[in-house]
Amino acid sequence: MVTTSKPKRVRWGVLGVAKIATEKVIPAMQQSKYARVAAIASRDQATADRAARALKIPRSFGSYDALVNDKHMASWMSDEKIDALLAELSSGGKT
């Protein structure tokens, strides 16, 4: 008998609430069976809270350091990583 296991989802924390993150990257990540957006951070707690509510993200942080140092995050996404990810996606994975 062949058993299939449910893929493990990486818990991501997103650093920043820029339009590219909130309108493109996070919604795409939320559709992935391999990713779970578990947190978002901004330099301002109220801004992070608003973004988390709007995107149904369970945790928000008022500083980038707080998210990066949180023991529950497996990985995190920053503007620089987003730029690299978009370049990779637009090249069809040939970078």
Side-chain angles (χ1 to χ4, degrees):
M1 170 167 62
V2 176
T3 60
T4 57
S5 61
K6 188 175 180 179
K8 288 193 174 197
R9 298 176 82 187
V10 176
R11 290 181 315 275
W12 287 91
V14 178
L15 301 175
V17 295
K19 188 175 181 179
I20 187 78
T22 59
E23 293 184 8
K24 300 291 183 186
V25 176
I26 292 171
M29 291 172 77
Q30 288 174 322
Q31 292 180 17
S32 172
K33 64 182 176 181
Y34 301 108
R36 177 175 166 251
V37 181
I40 191 164
S42 175
R43 291 183 190 105
D44 175 72
Q45 185 67 54
T47 302
D49 292 343
R50 280 192 300 276
R53 274 192 306 276
L55 294 162
K56 296 180 175 63
I57 298 171
R59 299 180 70 203
S60 59
F61 294 88
S63 76
Y64 300 149
D65 285 341
L67 188 151
V68 170
N69 293 312
D70 185 87
K71 65 181 179 178
H72 300 291
M73 292 297 107
S75 190
W76 48 268
M77 178 72 65
S78 66
D79 290 342
E80 292 81 16
K81 284 188 174 187
I82 290 170
D83 290 342
L85 175 64
L86 291 175
E88 180 77 16
L89 292 173
S90 67
S91 72
K94 297 181 176 90
T95 61

